[in-house]
């Protein structure tokens, strides 16, 4: 590879700063007392403490999954802080009371936290290390009956909903990281869209890990009642540390009859440096339940950050005629590793799923798609279409696809297509010989390659995603 | 034949180049004037494509000696995209496929980049659509090829036509056509050749790399050069091509 492509892929991470803010953090380590302390700090009801402890006791019996195509040193779960909150933690009456240092942080990150200044019609919940620091547009949403608040607040204000749905999609025993999250989660977002409501604005959560030793374990729960619609956006960044931080979130979505949830993520956690030092371990469980008939859940993700991504946003299609979709761009560079994909579980009749996965690998990175399409015995006339395309930039990266298909109903139709292409010196020279420089060439190739996924992102996110991929690939070709 | 007083476009002096540490070009001399057509012939592996790519600035090839002056500029110090902006065009022997990028978007970006450089205006997609449909006629290309990804799934002949379409869009001062005729059936050859002829003016020039006399029946060369072992070992008029066709290359000596 000549230097132009390299220079193109290798732009520095621009969100790597640390905010100097006093925090209230627990010492490192995990045991039942730590869990009790977290629960107490958050003033939680007993049932929630019991939920945590049960999850913790189950977690102790589990071992980290080893089937993914990733390698990393063993994570020491005792060498990690499980609670870190910016001080002071008094109840905020308005946005104006947010610590100006925090506001500046999010300003720098381009997150519109101040309602008056927010350009886009997007309500934002902001999670800083372990806690939610602000939620915008709450009143406006309340007028139409939409609940959008931090998870902690939801536990207090809407305990019946939390009790009903928490762990209903991702049970505490689901997997190692989901169990850990269930034991120690500190905050997150809760959205409830009432019957027949088309949520008047996009809802968005912005996650920021600031403490170099804290893990981030947040919980998102979205419930869309009959005939409702919501579009939810998730963004994330972290400072640059030369140690690895663990991010183990759980996201649960529930869609009732004729409801639709569109969940979009642009993941830009710190990925480590060009030698693979530091970066976030992103071990996330995301699952949506299409519970009602004609319901629809659509995951769109653009994964560009993290040292390691282990993530399979899934849809369980229970309601007849329900639809699950997964549109993904996963980009890895340098020494990043991604093992990501989806699971589409067809249970109801006439259920449909569509998977479009675009993997881009550069540098020495490794990018795997892993997907399961499962059609149950009662899922008559289920349909799945999967397309997995890989693009390799340069000669030293790798891509794999691991499609698993299990069909137990003979009327089902499952289609899988895959392709691999490589961008190297010859492609770049072809562009150059037509007068097109490396930067524009890469952006054109990447945009062309990802078009189908970007088309599913909300406008502002699509623009951000395009720029982000351009940044991440600076210098990797030619 | 053009009078030798017309403007010199390209001056290659004693050019040597290597790839992966192996010397391929060993002292090439060539002068091309405005309005001229030069044919370069020679056995496989003699360095014709290497010469073409070195002129266009392929990064794999290292120039080890000599100089190349293009319209008064030292071509060798320009990166490939600037050589294109300056008016050098290479039609590839093996055109590259670009997945995910439509032919029309590719051509439009190439056109707009060049025209912005020359102080012109960008064409928006609609304006460009009209423009490119008109240009496509030069190579009798069906407009449906504009919506397909660059060269992806094109037949050999379609790729070569696409190269000439790109030439039409970029309107180069010096076009280097590397075996644009290979793999073409007689109809496609006629189309490509007439496309090139239509693009010729008294102010530009063409270097055609070819194995076959048959292309030269359509595009008449002013000079025919024989390349062998990385050197031009003989130069003649168009009758030299006929002689090569009947006698092969073995009789030619420096
Ligand atoms: N990228 C490359 N790497 C190694 N050898 C090359 C490369 N390109 C060309 N060569 C060698 O250079 C010589 C000339 O090749 P080429 O210029 O393609 O000849 P021609 O076009 O006349 O058939 C051949 O021996 C070929 O193997
Ligand atoms: Mg050749």
């Amino acid at each position: 590879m000549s230097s132009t492509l390299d220079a193109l892929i290798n732009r520095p991470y621009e969100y790597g700063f640390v905010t100097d803010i006093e925090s209230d953090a627990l010492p490192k380590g995990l045991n039942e007392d730590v869990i009790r302390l977290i629960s107490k700090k958050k003033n939680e009801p007993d049932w929630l403490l019991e939920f945590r402890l049960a999850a913790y006791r189950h977690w102790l019996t589990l071992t980290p999954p080893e089937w993914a195509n990733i390698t990393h040193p063993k994570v020491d779960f005792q060498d990690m802080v499980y609670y870190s909150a910016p001080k002071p933690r008094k109840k905020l009456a308005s946005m104006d009371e947010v610590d100006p240092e925090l506001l500046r942080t999010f300003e720098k990150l381009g997150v519109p936290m101040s309602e008056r200044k927010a350009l886009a019609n997007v309500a934002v919940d902001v999670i800083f290390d372990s806690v939610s620091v602000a939620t915008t547009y709450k009143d406006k949403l309340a007028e139409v009956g939409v609940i959008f608040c931090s998870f902690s607040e939801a536990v207090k204000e809407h305990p019946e909903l939390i009790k009903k749905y928490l762990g209903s999609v991702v049970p505490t025993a689901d997997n190692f990281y989901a169990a850990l999250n269930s034991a120690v989660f500190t905050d997150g977002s809760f959205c409830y869209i009432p019957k027949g409501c088309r949520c008047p604005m996009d809802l968005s959560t912005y996650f920021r890990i600031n403490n170099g030793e804290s893990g981030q374990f947040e919980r998102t729960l979205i419930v869309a009642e009959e005939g409702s619609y919501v579009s939810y956006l998730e963004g994330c960044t972290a400072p640059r540390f030369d140690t690895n931080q663990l991010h183990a979130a759980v996201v649960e979505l529930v869609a009732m009859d004729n409801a639709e949830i569109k969940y979009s993520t642009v993941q830009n956690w710190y990925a480590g440096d060009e030698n693979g030092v530091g970066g976030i371990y992103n071990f996330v469980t995301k699952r949506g339940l299409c519970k009602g008939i004609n319901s629809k859940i659509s995951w769109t993700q653009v994964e560009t950050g993290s040292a390691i991504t282990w993530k399979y946003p899934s849809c369980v299609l229970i309601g007849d005629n329900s639809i699950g979709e997964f549109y993904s761009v996963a980009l890895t560079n340098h020494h990043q590793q991604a093992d990501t994909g989806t699971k589409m579980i067809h249970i109801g009749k006439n259920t449909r799923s569509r998977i479009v996965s675009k993997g881009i690998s550069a540098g020495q990175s490794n990018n795997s798609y892993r997907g399961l399409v499962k059609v149950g015995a009662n899922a008559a006339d289920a349909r799945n279409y999967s397309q997995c395309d890989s693009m390799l930039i340069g000669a030293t990266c790798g891509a794999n696809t691991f499609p698993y298909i299990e069909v137990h109903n003979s009327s089902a139709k499952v289609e899988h297509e895959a392709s691999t292409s490589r961008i190297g010196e010859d492609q770049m020279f072809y562009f150059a010989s037509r007068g097109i420089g490396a930067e524009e060439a890469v952006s054109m190739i990447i945009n062309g390659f990802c078009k189908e996924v970007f088309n599913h992102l909300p406008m502002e996110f699509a623009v951000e995603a395009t720029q982000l991929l351009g940044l991440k690939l600076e210098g990797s070709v030619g | 034949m053009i009078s030798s007083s017309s403007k010199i476009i390209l001056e290659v002096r004693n050019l040597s180049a290597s790839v992966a540490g192996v010397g391929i070009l060993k002292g090439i001399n060539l002068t091309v004037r405005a309005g001229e057509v030069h044919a370069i012939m020679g056995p496989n592996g003699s360095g014709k494509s290497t010469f073409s790519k070195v002129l266009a600035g392929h990064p794999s090839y290292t120039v080890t000696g000599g100089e190349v002056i293009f319209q008064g500029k030292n071509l060798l110090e320009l990166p490939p995209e600037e050589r294109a902006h300056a008016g050098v065009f290479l039609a590839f022997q093996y055109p590259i496929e670009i997945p995910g990028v439509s032919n029309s978007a590719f051509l439009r970006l190439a056109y707009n980049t060049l025209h912005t450089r020359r102080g012109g205006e960008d064409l928006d997609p609609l304006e460009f659509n009209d423009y490119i449909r008109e240009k496509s006629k030069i190579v009798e290309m069906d407009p449906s090829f504009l919506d397909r990804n660059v060269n992806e799934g094109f037949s050999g002949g379609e790729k070569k036509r696409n190269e000439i379409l790109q030439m039409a869009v970029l309107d180069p001062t010096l076009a280097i056509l590397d075996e644009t005729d290979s793999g073409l059936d007689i109809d496609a050859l006629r189309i490509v050749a007439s496309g090139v002829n239509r693009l010729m003016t008294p102010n530009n020039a063409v270097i055609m790399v070819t194995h076959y006399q048959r292309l030269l029946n359509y595009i008449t060369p002013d000079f025919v050069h024989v390349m062998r072992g990385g050197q031009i070992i003989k130069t003649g008029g168009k009758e030299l091509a006929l002689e090569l066709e009947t006698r092969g290359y073995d009789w030619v000596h420096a």
Side-chain angles (χ1 to χ4, degrees):
Chain A
M1 285 286 112
S2 53
S3 54
T4 6
L5 253 189
D6 277 343
L8 263 175
I9 297 202
N10 301 328
R11 264 212 206 164
Y13 184 69
E14 58 179 317
Y15 304 114
F17 58 88
V18 183
T19 304
D20 186 13
I21 198 161
E22 234 192 309
S23 69
D24 167 22
L26 290 181
K28 287 179 180 179
L30 182 59
N31 53 48
E32 292 205 4
D33 289 341
V34 167
I35 291 169
R36 284 176 209 282
L37 213 61
I38 291 173
S39 190
K40 193 161 162 224
K41 272 187 180 291
K42 306 187 73 67
N43 250 323
E44 286 178 352
D46 286 345
W47 64 264
L48 193 49
L49 176 60
E50 285 314 311
F51 175 91
R52 290 177 180 282
L53 290 172
Y56 176 70
R57 287 167 196 147
H58 183 75
W59 178 73
L60 288 175
T61 69
L62 301 175
T63 50
E66 278 173 358
W67 43 262
N69 192 24
I70 54 177
T71 51
H72 56 88
K74 243 175 114 114
V75 177
D76 182 352
F77 293 94
Q78 294 306 334
D79 188 32
M80 200 178 298
V81 170
Y82 287 85
Y83 183 86
S84 167
K87 255 183 197 169
R89 272 292 289 149
K90 66 165 182 164
K91 189 108 176 86
L92 300 174
S94 83
M95 239 358 122
D96 301 335
E97 291 180 32
V98 176
D99 186 327
E101 190 59 39
L102 263 181
L103 278 178
R104 266 193 296 278
T105 300
F106 286 97
E107 211 80 15
K108 231 162 147 180
L109 297 169
V111 180
M113 246 171 88
S114 150
E115 289 182 27
R116 279 161 295 139
K117 279 212 278 175
L119 301 166
N121 190 32
V122 178
V124 186
D125 183 27
V126 171
I127 316 266
F128 195 83
D129 283 343
S130 301
V131 298
S132 167
V133 290
T135 312
T136 64
Y137 286 116
K138 262 161 90 168
D139 300 342
K140 195 170 166 194
L141 290 167
E143 282 169 26
V144 290
V146 170
I147 302 169
F148 180 45
C149 62
S150 73
F151 208 89
S152 321
E153 194 177 327
V155 169
K156 292 191 184 71
E157 309 289 332
H158 311 282
E160 67 302 334
L161 287 172
I162 300 295
K163 219 169 163 172
K164 181 167 172 192
Y165 291 109
L166 179 67
S168 71
V169 184
V170 179
T172 52
D174 190 80
N175 68 66
F176 183 84
Y177 295 108
L180 178 62
N181 173 289
S182 302
V184 303
F185 73 89
T186 36
D187 216 331
S189 293
F190 174 65
C191 315
Y192 178 83
I193 320 298
K195 191 169 163 177
C197 172
R198 202 181 157 84
C199 188
M201 61 181 76
D202 289 351
L203 305 183
S204 163
T205 301
Y206 198 89
F207 298 104
R208 172 83 179 165
I209 297 179
N210 194 59
N211 186 324
E213 291 175 325
S214 81
Q216 179 149 322
F217 305 93
E218 85 275 355
R219 199 91 203 179
T220 303
L221 174 59
I222 301 176
V223 179
E225 291 286 11
E226 200 181 317
S228 67
Y229 168 84
V230 63
S231 162
Y232 182 89
L233 325 173
E234 179 201 289
C236 32
T237 57
R240 177 200 315 270
F241 291 116
D242 52 13
T243 51
N244 299 103
Q245 286 87 53
L246 179 63
H247 174 247
V250 170
V251 176
E252 298 179 281
L253 313 182
V254 182
M256 302 303 188
D257 288 357
N258 301 302
E260 179 176 349
I261 301 174
K262 202 171 144 49
Y263 193 107
S264 313
T265 307
V266 173
Q267 189 261 110
N268 186 21
W269 294 119
Y270 179 52
D273 67 10
E274 62 275 16
N275 300 313
V277 175
I280 303 288
Y281 289 172
N282 193 34
F283 299 148
V284 168
T285 306
K286 290 185 165 177
R287 194 172 304 154
L289 206 60
C290 281
K291 209 167 177 179
I293 55 164
N294 304 320
S295 56
K296 180 173 175 183
I297 288 179
S298 177
W299 299 100
T300 306
Q301 62 171 24
V302 178
E303 302 283 309
T304 68
S306 298
I308 302 177
T309 300
W310 176 97
K311 178 178 167 188
Y312 315 90
S314 308
C315 296
V316 183
L317 306 171
I318 295 173
D320 290 349
N321 313 323
S322 60
I323 299 174
E325 293 178 335
F326 174 75
Y327 298 98
S328 169
V329 168
L331 178 146
T332 52
N333 193 8
H334 302 308
H335 295 267
Q336 280 178 273
Q337 307 175 57
D339 192 299
T340 182
T342 185
K343 287 189 269 184
M344 293 291 172
I345 314 292
H346 293 255
I347 294 170
K349 290 184 189 49
N350 206 30
T351 44
R352 302 265 181 278
S353 64
R354 185 177 175 83
I355 297 170
V356 177
S357 161
K358 306 278 178 177
I360 304 166
S361 331
Q364 284 84 268
S365 69
N366 205 345
N367 200 327
S368 298
Y369 167 83
R370 186 181 304 277
L372 168 68
V373 176
K374 187 170 178 173
V375 178
N378 297 322
D381 295 316
R383 297 277 180 279
N384 160 267
Y385 172 76
S386 303
Q387 186 186 333
C388 300
D389 298 323
S390 306
M391 179 168 283
L392 305 170
I393 299 181
T396 51
C397 53
N400 301 286
T401 40
F402 303 102
Y404 305 91
I405 299 172
E406 275 178 48
V407 178
H408 303 284
N409 185 304
S410 58
S411 64
K413 273 211 187 96
V414 174
E415 283 176 80
H416 180 91
E417 285 180 31
S419 77
T420 302
S421 43
R422 193 179 283 278
I423 301 295
E425 205 166 66
D426 283 338
Q427 273 89 357
M428 298 314 288
F429 177 61
Y430 196 63
F431 274 94
S433 72
R434 282 13 175 185
I436 303 170
E439 198 160 327
E440 278 178 303
V442 168
S443 120
M444 188 169 215
I445 292 169
I446 296 297
N447 281 325
F449 183 67
C450 302
K451 197 162 41 194
E452 209 184 332
V453 173
F454 287 172
N455 284 345
H456 288 271
L457 286 174
M459 194 58 154
E460 318 82 65
F461 250 36
V463 173
E464 189 187 328
T466 309
Q467 289 169 346
L468 191 56
L469 291 189
L471 285 178
K472 292 271 162 170
L473 284 176
E474 286 242 316
S476 65
V477 199
Chain B
M1 175 97 55
I2 307 297
S3 89
S4 62
S5 65
S6 73
K7 219 176 94 206
I8 292 177
I9 287 180
L10 181 77
E11 183 86 64
V12 179
R13 290 192 206 111
N14 207 19
L15 179 69
S16 331
S18 65
V19 62
V22 182
I24 309 288
L25 302 185
K26 296 171 179 159
I28 293 190
N29 291 291
L30 180 67
T31 301
V32 178
R33 290 171 186 271
E36 291 177 348
V37 174
H38 291 245
I40 298 181
M41 304 180 80
N44 282 329
S46 57
K48 304 182 298 295
S49 290
T50 302
F51 179 51
S52 308
K53 288 188 211 170
V54 166
L55 290 182
H58 195 295
S60 295
Y61 299 82
T62 312
V63 173
T64 50
E67 56 182 354
V68 178
I69 307 300
F70 175 72
Q71 295 190 299
K73 278 186 217 138
N74 177 1
L75 196 65
L76 298 177
E77 68 183 17
L78 299 180
E81 61 271 26
E82 287 180 27
R83 297 186 196 193
H85 301 156
V88 175
F89 177 85
L90 169 63
F92 285 54
Q93 181 174 1
Y94 303 108
I96 307 292
E97 301 188 0
I98 312 283
V101 175
S102 80
N103 215 12
S104 60
F106 179 75
L107 288 164
R108 190 165 78 88
L109 182 58
Y111 177 94
N112 282 340
T113 306
L114 188 73
H115 283 253
T116 311
R117 282 275 171 152
R118 292 180 182 167
E121 292 280 306
D122 273 12
L123 293 184
D124 68 31
L126 284 177
E127 292 166 333
F128 187 74
N129 191 43
D130 294 341
Y131 166 86
I132 196 68
R133 274 167 189 267
E134 206 46 48
K135 290 283 178 191
S136 300
K137 291 180 187 160
I138 294 176
V139 288
E140 298 179 32
M141 187 146 99
D142 190 286
S144 67
F145 282 91
L146 296 168
D147 300 328
R148 290 173 50 181
N149 291 338
V150 180
N151 293 326
E152 205 175 56
F154 287 27
S155 73
E158 288 159 356
K159 284 182 179 168
K160 298 298 177 75
R161 268 147 73 166
N162 205 26
E163 295 291 287
I164 303 306
L165 175 59
Q166 295 179 27
M167 174 179 163
V169 168
L170 294 171
D171 188 23
T173 308
L174 175 69
I176 306 153
L177 312 180
D178 190 1
E179 294 204 29
T180 297
D181 54 333
S182 330
L184 297 186
D185 62 29
I186 196 72
D187 287 336
L189 181 70
R190 186 184 46 72
I191 290 165
V192 162
S194 84
V196 173
N197 280 327
R198 284 180 61 181
L199 296 171
M200 284 293 302
T201 72
N203 301 315
N204 60 23
V206 173
I207 297 175
M208 285 188 304
V209 173
T210 182
H211 277 299
Y212 306 105
Q213 156 64 26
R214 60 173 199 166
L215 176 64
L216 307 181
N217 291 335
Y218 293 93
I219 307 173
T220 314
D222 300 295
F223 299 95
V224 174
H225 309 276
V226 178
M227 189 180 284
R228 191 161 197 169
Q231 287 180 318
I232 288 177
I233 54 166
K234 192 174 180 67
T235 293
K238 62 175 188 277
E239 62 297 333
L240 177 57
L242 288 169
E243 199 170 356
L244 291 168
E245 181 99 328
T246 43
R247 296 179 62 190
Y249 294 110
D250 285 345
W251 62 277
V252 189
H253 296 286

